[in-house]
């Protein structure tokens, strides 16, 4: 299972490599990078529990707010304010909507789960004068 860890209240960029599967319906795209122009929308969610409703996500990012795209990669940027008040392990998922109407869920590196684990640790102490 893929797990990443970082301190709360810090800027984090989580990059997802985006390629078409080897058995993609359009043969010319099989195992190729997903073109940025083929991505119509994307949604990233950070949840405490896998089965939580999407409205209960502690962090939600979309293509218009916090997700950038380029050929072969989508990057989710978490601002310090996104994680400032939370610690512990969370389930992160990324769903990509393609212009063809297909939907791609990113999985962990074992390709067994439609999420990765994000471990948010206590943030650094900020001096106040």
């Amino acid at each position: 299972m893929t797990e990443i860890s970082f301190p709360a209240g810090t800027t984090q960029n989580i990059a997802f490599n985006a390629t078409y599967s080897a058995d993609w319906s359009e043969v010319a795209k099989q195992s190729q990078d997903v073109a940025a122009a083929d991505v119509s929308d994307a949604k990233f969610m950070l949840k405490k529990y896998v089965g939580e409703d999407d409205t209960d996500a502690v962090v939600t990012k979309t293509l218009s707010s916090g997700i950038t795209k380029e050929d072969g990669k989508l990057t989710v940027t978490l601002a310090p304010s996104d994680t400032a008040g939370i610690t512990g392990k969370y389930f992160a998922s990324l769903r990509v909507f393609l212009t063809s109407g297909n939907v791609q869920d990113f999985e962990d590196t074992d390709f067994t789960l439609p999420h990765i684990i994000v471990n948010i640790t206590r943030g650094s102490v900020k001096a106040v004068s």
Side-chain angles (χ1 to χ4, degrees):
M1 179 178 304
T2 302
E3 182 172 329
I4 59 174
S5 183
F6 57 84
T10 59
T11 299
Q12 297 296 319
N13 292 308
I14 305 170
F16 293 84
N17 293 324
T19 56
Y20 291 102
S21 65
D23 60 352
W24 194 258
S25 59
E26 192 175 331
V27 176
K29 291 185 177 183
Q30 291 177 352
S31 301
Q32 300 297 309
D33 286 348
V34 173
D38 289 348
V39 177
S40 61
D41 202 2
K43 185 175 187 178
F44 172 88
M45 289 180 290
L46 198 60
K47 298 179 180 182
K48 188 65 177 168
Y49 304 102
V50 174
E52 279 185 312
D53 191 75
D54 290 355
T55 59
D56 293 327
V58 295
V59 176
T60 300
K61 297 289 181 178
T62 62
L63 198 54
S64 61
S65 176
I67 299 176
T68 57
K69 63 179 179 174
E70 59 187 88
D71 290 348
K73 182 168 74 171
L74 289 108
T75 302
V76 176
T77 299
L78 298 175
S81 60
D82 292 327
T83 61
I86 61 175
T87 58
K89 291 190 178 186
Y90 293 83
F91 295 93
S93 62
L94 177 66
R95 178 167 278 187
V96 178
F97 301 88
L98 302 173
T99 56
S100 64
N102 291 323
V103 177
Q104 183 176 2
D105 287 316
F106 281 82
E107 299 171 327
D108 71 341
T109 53
D110 297 329
F111 301 104
T112 56
L113 300 170
H115 57 266
I116 60 173
I117 301 295
V118 174
N119 185 23
I120 303 172
T121 59
R122 293 186 83 182
S124 59
V125 175
K126 182 178 179 182
V128 178
S129 53

